[in-house]
Coordinates of all heavy atoms in Angstrom, one line a residue:
C1 N 0.8 -1.2 0.0 CA 0.0 0.0 0.0 C 0.8 1.3 0.0 O 0.3 2.4 -0.1 CB -0.9 0.0 1.2 SG -0.1 -0.1 2.8
G2 N 2.2 1.1 0.1 CA 3.0 2.3 0.1 C 4.0 2.4 1.3 O 3.7 2.0 2.4
M3 N 5.1 3.0 1.1 CA 6.1 3.2 2.1 C 6.6 4.7 2.1 O 6.9 5.2 1.0 CB 7.3 2.3 2.0 CG 8.3 2.3 3.1 SD 9.6 1.1 2.9 CE 8.7 -0.5 3.2
S4 N 6.8 5.3 3.2 CA 7.2 6.7 3.3 C 8.7 6.8 2.9 O 9.5 5.8 3.0 CB 7.0 7.3 4.6 OG 8.0 6.7 5.6
I5 N 9.1 7.9 2.4 CA 10.5 8.1 2.1 C 11.4 8.1 3.3 O 12.6 7.7 3.2 CB 10.8 9.4 1.3 CG1 10.3 10.6 2.1 CG2 10.1 9.4 0.0 CD1 10.6 12.0 1.5
L6 N 10.9 8.4 4.5 CA 11.6 8.2 5.7 C 12.0 6.8 6.0 O 13.2 6.5 6.3 CB 10.9 8.8 6.9 CG 10.7 10.3 6.9 CD1 9.8 10.8 8.1 CD2 12.0 11.0 7.0
D7 N 11.0 5.9 5.8 CA 11.3 4.5 6.0 C 12.2 3.9 4.9 O 13.1 3.1 5.2 CB 10.0 3.7 6.1 CG 9.2 3.9 7.3 OD1 9.8 4.4 8.3 OD2 8.0 3.7 7.3
L8 N 12.0 4.4 3.7 CA 12.9 3.9 2.6 C 14.3 4.4 2.9 O 15.3 3.7 2.6 CB 12.4 4.5 1.3 CG 11.2 3.8 0.7 CD1 10.6 4.6 -0.5 CD2 11.5 2.4 0.2
G9 N 14.5 5.6 3.4 CA 15.8 6.1 3.7 C 16.5 5.3 4.8 O 17.7 5.0 4.7
K10 N 15.7 4.9 5.8 CA 16.3 4.1 6.8 C 16.8 2.7 6.3 O 17.8 2.2 6.7 CB 15.3 3.8 8.0 CG 15.0 5.1 8.8 CD 13.9 4.8 9.8 CE 13.5 6.0 10.6 NZ 12.4 5.8 11.5
K11 N 16.0 2.1 5.4 CA 16.3 0.8 4.8 C 17.5 0.9 3.8 O 18.2 -0.1 3.6 CB 15.1 0.2 4.2 CG 14.0 -0.2 5.2 CD 12.8 -0.8 4.6 CE 11.8 -1.3 5.6 NZ 12.2 -2.5 6.3
T12 N 17.7 2.0 3.1 CA 18.7 2.1 2.1 C 19.9 2.9 2.4 O 20.9 2.8 1.8 CB 18.0 2.7 0.8 OG1 17.6 4.1 1.1 CG2 16.8 1.9 0.3
G13 N 19.8 3.7 3.4 CA 20.9 4.6 3.8 C 20.9 5.9 2.9 O 21.9 6.6 3.0
I14 N 20.0 6.1 2.0 CA 20.0 7.2 1.1 C 19.1 8.3 1.8 O 18.1 8.1 2.4 CB 19.3 6.9 -0.2 CG1 20.2 5.8 -0.9 CG2 19.2 8.1 -1.1 CD1 19.6 5.3 -2.2
D15 N 19.6 9.6 1.6 CA 18.9 10.7 2.2 C 17.4 10.7 1.7 O 17.1 10.6 0.5 CB 19.5 12.0 1.7 CG 18.9 13.2 2.2 OD1 17.9 13.7 1.6 OD2 19.3 13.8 3.2
P16 N 16.5 10.7 2.6 CA 15.0 10.5 2.3 C 14.5 11.6 1.3 O 13.8 11.2 0.3 CB 14.3 10.6 3.6 CG 15.3 10.2 4.6 CD 16.6 10.7 4.1
A17 N 14.9 12.8 1.5 CA 14.4 13.9 0.6 C 14.9 13.7 -0.8 O 14.2 13.9 -1.8 CB 14.8 15.2 1.2
K18 N 16.2 13.3 -0.9 CA 16.8 13.1 -2.2 C 16.2 11.9 -2.9 O 15.9 11.9 -4.1 CB 18.3 13.0 -2.1 CG 19.0 14.3 -1.7 CD 20.5 14.1 -1.6 CE 21.1 15.5 -1.1 NZ 22.6 15.3 -1.0
L19 N 16.0 10.8 -2.1 CA 15.3 9.6 -2.7 C 13.9 9.9 -3.1 O 13.5 9.5 -4.2 CB 15.3 8.5 -1.6 CG 14.8 7.2 -2.1 CD1 15.5 6.7 -3.3 CD2 14.9 6.1 -1.0
G20 N 13.2 10.7 -2.4 CA 11.8 11.1 -2.8 C 11.8 11.9 -4.1 O 10.9 11.7 -4.9
R21 N 12.8 12.7 -4.3 CA 12.8 13.5 -5.6 C 13.1 12.5 -6.8 O 12.5 12.7 -7.8 CB 13.9 14.5 -5.5 CG 13.5 15.7 -4.6 CD 14.8 16.4 -4.0 NE 15.6 17.1 -5.0 CZ 16.7 17.7 -4.8 NH1 17.2 17.7 -3.6 NH2 17.3 18.3 -5.8
I22 N 13.9 11.5 -6.6 CA 14.2 10.6 -7.6 C 12.9 9.7 -7.9 O 12.5 9.5 -9.1 CB 15.3 9.6 -7.2 CG1 16.6 10.4 -7.2 CG2 15.4 8.4 -8.1 CD1 17.8 9.7 -6.6
L23 N 12.2 9.3 -6.8 CA 11.0 8.5 -7.0 C 9.9 9.3 -7.6 O 9.1 8.8 -8.5 CB 10.6 7.9 -5.7 CG 11.5 6.8 -5.1 CD1 11.1 6.4 -3.7 CD2 11.4 5.5 -6.1
R24 N 9.8 10.6 -7.3 CA 8.8 11.4 -7.9 C 9.0 11.6 -9.4 O 8.0 11.7 -10.2 CB 8.7 12.8 -7.2 CG 7.5 13.6 -7.6 CD 7.3 14.8 -6.6 NE 6.9 14.3 -5.3 CZ 7.6 14.3 -4.2 NH1 8.9 14.8 -4.3 NH2 7.2 13.8 -3.1
Y25 N 10.3 11.8 -9.8 CA 10.6 11.9 -11.2 C 10.1 10.6 -11.9 O 9.5 10.7 -13.0 CB 12.1 12.1 -11.4 CG 12.6 12.1 -12.8 CD1 12.4 13.2 -13.6 CD2 13.2 10.9 -13.3 CE1 12.9 13.2 -14.9 CE2 13.6 10.9 -14.6 CZ 13.5 12.0 -15.4 OH 13.9 12.0 -16.7
L26 N 10.5 9.5 -11.4 CA 10.1 8.2 -12.0 C 8.6 8.0 -12.0 O 8.0 7.5 -13.0 CB 10.8 7.0 -11.4 CG 12.3 7.0 -11.6 CD1 12.9 5.8 -10.8 CD2 12.7 6.8 -13.1

């Protein structure tokens, strides 16, 4: 159903805000 960029950041080690920008582009 979806995962927040904060949780994705914790699991990947990538800055959540930057990862969110990448996912929004895609």
Side-chain angles (χ1 to χ4, degrees):
C1 58
M3 184 178 292
S4 72
I5 58 174
L6 291 175
D7 289 337
L8 284 169
K10 291 176 184 176
K11 289 178 177 290
T12 62
I14 299 176
D15 180 274
K18 293 178 180 178
L19 183 56
R21 290 155 63 186
I22 289 169
L23 288 172
R24 187 166 293 109
Y25 172 81
L26 291 174

